[in-house]
Amino acid sequence: MNEKKSSMVKDAIILCLITLILGGVLAGVYAVTKKPIDDAQIKANNEACAAVVAEGDSVQNTDAEAVKAAADYLAKHGLANEELAGGDTLSNYVEISEVHPTANGGHVYLADATKGYGGKISFALGVDAAGAVTGISITSQAETAGLGANCENEDWQKGFAGKVLPSNAGDEMYNKNGATDSQVQALSGATVTSRAITRAVKGILFYDGSVRGAN
């Protein structure tokens, strides 16, 4: 009995040592790879920000206070920009991580559309001083290949340039039957992706308008 108990103790000690060693190896790998991954993401974000501003404009450093103000606004307004005390607020559809003022009075937003078919869709969105979209750049997505993943197609992203909020605040910003002044053409076979991105854009434009006093 004592020999059996001693063997069990030894096995437990060995398992603990193996666990500690593996944990140390994983921690080491994480420490080595984290900085290159972070640096690559920062580079991608900077390139996306530069790509979505109007020609001749430039992106400035992110405004931490604006990020907080945006989160507060999104948590208190719905999809038709109505004030809500919880429930289906814009914060369920878009999360803003960075707000960069631009030299010409616009803004560039780094954000996530949270309702994608495959999860979050990350993007940069440029908005000029008059509240019109200057560009969008999808930086990360896990949508279905050949369908929602087509959100990365350059031609589809170009369709956002010049778009403004719908005159009816409750209208969607995508259209299955073709683009309009305030709507982009929906991605074929990817309504969920189209809705996720355009609702996120709409939420950002609502907030951006509140900053400019347009709403």
Side-chain angles (χ1 to χ4, degrees):
M1 179 65 72
N2 288 337
E3 290 182 3
K4 185 177 181 180
K5 185 179 292 185
S6 176
S7 177
M8 290 175 64
V9 170
K10 288 180 181 178
D11 289 344
I13 292 173
I14 291 171
L15 285 173
C16 286
L17 289 172
I18 291 173
T19 301
L20 288 172
I21 291 170
L22 289 176
V25 170
L26 290 173
V29 170
Y30 175 77
V32 169
T33 60
K34 184 179 186 301
K35 189 176 187 305
I37 291 173
D38 289 346
D39 288 345
Q41 186 61 61
I42 291 171
K43 182 174 183 291
N45 287 344
N46 289 340
E47 290 175 349
C49 287
V52 300
V53 294
E55 186 176 353
D57 204 354
S58 60
V59 183
Q60 301 173 0
N61 292 333
T62 187
D63 183 342
E65 291 302 316
V67 174
K68 294 178 183 177
D72 184 61
Y73 186 91
L74 296 173
K76 293 179 180 178
H77 292 79
L79 286 167
N81 208 27
E82 73 278 26
E83 290 192 20
L84 297 175
D88 194 28
T89 62
L90 291 165
S91 59
N92 293 321
Y93 299 91
V94 58
E95 297 172 352
I96 297 173
S97 56
E98 295 184 21
V99 180
H100 295 263
T102 73
N104 291 344
H107 293 92
V108 171
Y109 297 86
L110 290 179
D112 293 322
T114 61
K115 298 289 187 178
Y117 188 82
K120 291 184 178 182
I121 302 169
S122 301
F123 63 94
L125 183 78
V127 184
D128 67 18
V133 174
T134 53
I136 190 171
S137 178
I138 306 299
T139 58
S140 177
Q141 55 84 21
E143 302 299 275
T144 305
L147 296 173
N150 288 335
C151 65
E152 289 199 48
N153 287 356
E154 186 176 348
D155 286 343
W156 189 72
Q157 293 181 69
K158 284 181 177 178
F160 280 85
K163 299 303 179 189
V164 294
L165 282 168
S167 56
N168 181 351
D171 288 350
E172 298 284 1
M173 288 191 70
Y174 71 95
N175 191 333
K176 294 181 180 180
N177 300 315
T180 70
D181 288 345
S182 59
Q183 296 172 313
V184 296
Q185 168 70 50
L187 290 164
S188 179
T191 300
V192 172
T193 305
S194 303
R195 182 187 300 123
I197 295 172
T198 54
R199 284 185 173 181
V201 169
K202 187 178 179 184
I204 292 172
L205 291 179
F206 280 145
Y207 166 70
D208 191 82
S210 74
V211 173
R212 292 180 293 104
N215 292 328

